[in-house]
Amino acid sequence: MHIRKLAPHEPPPMELLLLADPSRTLVEEYIARGDCFVCEADRRIVGVYVLLPTRPGTIELVNVAVAEPEQGKGIGKRLVLHAIDEARARGFHTIEIGTGSTGVVQLALYQKCGFRMTGIDKDFFVRHYEEDIYENGIRLRDMVRLSLDLQDRLHEN
Ligand code: COA
């Protein structure tokens, strides 16, 4: 299993990207501006993440997804840690991520990788998504913002 940057001529794994973000419009918009990385096992793409520079010195992990049959095996964590290393290697000082307040697995994963909560974007998903989204039996409304200072000493978890 290895993680590599998707080449410009390769089609992005849209089905996987839509697992993490149901808005095809938003996904198409940020993959055009960001860098897409894929995790391959036996020549199949089983995971993806997208990094997008947002402000000077800051980059955002705007999408991370693992194919459903492969979830819970540590691939998501490897992708997030790879994204952190990639951002640090490119000289960014902060990496950010925004995730639904209802995403228990996601919130655990990002905090295990060293991210800290910085704020809540109230009603983000009501404002930006046409259809109601339910996760873990809760209507998704708010986005939790998290960030990691890349100049801090390396996270030890
Ligand atoms: N219940 C609770 N926590 C769980 C869990 C479960 N069923 N499955 C995973 N976790 C947590 C654990 O804390 C685990 O940490 P550990 O390795 O120390 O035990 C951590 O998540 C990482 O698990 P991992 O196996 O690396 O995650 P994954 O490969 O399943 O990937 C996602 C995680 C979120 C990327 C994956 O579930 C996914 O693609 N979901 C759909 C898309 C999505 O929601 N993306 C995020 C958008 S913000």
Side-chain angles (χ1 to χ4, degrees), residues 36-63:
C36 191
F37 288 77
V38 292
C39 175
E40 278 179 330
D42 300 328
R43 297 187 170 196
R44 275 185 319 117
I45 294 179
V46 294
V48 66
Y49 76 80
V50 181
L51 276 177
L52 181 71
T54 49
R55 299 188 296 282
T58 300
I59 197 159
E60 183 162 342
L61 184 54
V62 286
N63 192 306

Side-chain angles (χ1 to χ4, degrees), residues 9-126:
H9 67 273
E10 290 181 286
M14 194 51 85
E15 208 174 304
L16 270 183
L17 292 160
L18 291 171
L19 259 190
D21 185 341
S23 168
R24 184 176 283 269
T25 311
L26 287 182
V27 170
E28 283 175 348
E29 196 261 328
Y30 58 62
I31 50 176
R33 296 191 290 128
D35 288 314
C36 191
F37 288 77
V38 292
C39 175
E40 278 179 330
D42 300 328
R43 297 187 170 196
R44 275 185 319 117
I45 294 179
V46 294
V48 66
Y49 76 80
V50 181
L51 276 177
L52 181 71
T54 49
R55 299 188 296 282
T58 300
I59 197 159
E60 183 162 342
L61 184 54
V62 286
N63 192 306
V64 51
V66 173
E68 267 162 14
E70 307 298 332
Q71 288 177 10
K73 299 180 185 172
I75 299 173
K77 200 168 183 178
R78 281 180 64 170
L79 286 168
V80 174
L81 294 174
H82 192 277
I84 293 169
D85 287 346
E86 178 70 24
R88 188 181 279 116
R90 289 205 218 163
F92 287 92
H93 59 67
T94 304
I95 180 167
E96 295 184 334
I97 192 159
T99 192
S101 63
T102 52
V104 180
V105 169
Q106 295 86 327
L107 285 168
L109 167 60
Y110 305 141
Q111 290 176 91
K112 281 181 175 176
C113 292
F115 283 83
R116 302 284 302 274
M117 294 188 191
T118 52
I120 310 287
D121 192 342
K122 271 193 122 173
D123 286 320
F124 176 89
F125 293 96
V126 178

